[in-house]
Amino acid sequence: MRDLPGYWDWAPGMRNEAERGPACSGALMHIWLTEGGQRYHSSWTTTDAEVTSRILEDLPDALLDNGERDPKHGFLIQYEDETRIDADGNPVSWYLVMSTPDRFFWQRLDRIGVSTRNPTMVRCPDPN
């Protein structure tokens, strides 16, 4: 997941551009990893609120187009202090899936095969 840290926004067409402006022009999600890549952190650039989670597991290896295996294209997290509850009464867990080094999406673990994933996020330039 060496490609994940950075600034992210909803992909064009996945957001209300009329309200929020073009991608990478407003509030951005800042993501960083600590503890040797085993702890996820994120916050929006317009707030001091931070969410964090231990990385619970890596996604299974993916077979790349060139035939090589990619062992680190996503992971499972469960936010500390998560308030959303799944149908079994457990706090929801999320897969972060990187489709390319500059794109990822979230998928709730309890909704795989039942509902669509969240909209794609795209990498943005560092605003600083």
Side-chain angles (χ1 to χ4, degrees), residues 35-56:
E35 298 178 16
Q38 295 304 303
R39 181 164 290 279
Y40 165 92
H41 304 263
S42 69
S43 66
W44 289 93
T45 55
T46 54
T47 179
D48 291 332
E50 176 186 328
V51 293
T52 186
S53 172
R54 234 177 5 93
I55 293 176
L56 303 175

Side-chain angles (χ1 to χ4, degrees), residues 5-108:
Y7 292 87
W8 299 86
D9 196 5
W10 303 111
M14 303 281 179
R15 53 187 272 130
N16 183 346
E17 280 88 359
E19 180 181 313
R20 296 190 59 203
C24 300
S25 66
L28 304 177
M29 177 184 276
H30 180 209
I31 296 175
W32 66 101
L33 303 174
T34 60
E35 298 178 16
Q38 295 304 303
R39 181 164 290 279
Y40 165 92
H41 304 263
S42 69
S43 66
W44 289 93
T45 55
T46 54
T47 179
D48 291 332
E50 176 186 328
V51 293
T52 186
S53 172
R54 234 177 5 93
I55 293 176
L56 303 175
E57 66 182 49
D58 290 325
L59 285 175
D61 288 1
L63 188 60
L64 301 176
D65 291 340
N66 63 6
E68 295 180 17
R69 298 202 73 74
D70 177 10
K72 295 272 189 171
H73 69 283
F75 52 76
L76 178 68
I77 65 170
Q78 182 181 79
Y79 291 122
E80 294 172 4
D81 301 322
E82 176 65 78
T83 58
R84 293 164 289 192
I85 303 296
D86 66 19
D88 295 327
N90 300 310
V92 298
S93 297
W94 298 88
Y95 276 115
L96 182 150
V97 181
M98 290 195 77
S99 51
T100 74
D102 295 322
R103 299 175 84 79
F104 78 84
F105 62 88
W106 293 106
Q107 173 70 59
R108 265 181 60 164

